[in-house]
Amino acid sequence: MRKWLLLTAAILLEVTATLSLRGALDHPALYLLVVVGYVGSFTLLALVLRAGLALGVAYGIWGASGVALTAILAALFFGDPLTAAMGVGIALVIAGVLCVELGAQSAHARQAGEEGARS
């Protein structure tokens, strides 16, 4: 449970930093939030890996969630376009990450079963 909370926090910090980067164009003081957000996000992502989440799963969820949330929030906050094609793309990214996660869980269960059979 801890690793999922850390991953969620890493995602939220990354999205905050990215949106702040856009806002910093008009308000340079936001560059501080950009730096703090990215450093915090990568630090938390490292802690997620240390907690045992597989790299492919952690990075996939972090990256895909960041892309999807940033696109949606940029549309809300900055008036960026959010087209139907972008919505389909976001759905495909989410589906891809779910496939990676399910595959990782399946591989982990299979590995645990093989280790149990050897003992």
Side-chain angles (χ1 to χ4, degrees):
M1 179 66 165
R2 178 177 179 265
K3 59 188 168 189
W4 295 108
L5 292 174
L6 290 170
L7 183 58
T8 300
I11 292 164
L12 294 175
L13 279 174
E14 188 269 334
V15 170
T16 299
T18 303
L19 294 172
S20 296
L21 185 60
R22 171 78 181 268
L25 297 173
D26 296 324
H27 307 283
L30 287 175
Y31 282 118
L32 180 60
L33 190 54
V34 172
V35 171
V36 169
Y38 284 133
V39 169
S41 181
F42 280 104
T43 300
L44 289 173
L45 189 57
L47 292 174
V48 168
L49 297 176
R50 182 169 282 161
L53 197 58
L55 176 61
V57 173
Y59 184 74
I61 293 171
W62 178 79
S65 298
V67 167
L69 282 172
T70 300
I72 293 165
L73 293 174
L76 291 173
F77 293 144
F78 302 115
D80 284 3
L82 188 61
T83 65
M86 291 171 73
V88 169
I90 289 169
L92 288 172
V93 166
I94 292 169
V97 168
L98 288 174
C99 287
V100 170
E101 169 61 16
L102 292 173
Q105 287 180 5
S106 174
H108 183 68
R110 184 174 49 246
Q111 184 181 24
E114 290 172 2
E115 289 175 2
R118 284 186 259 170
S119 11

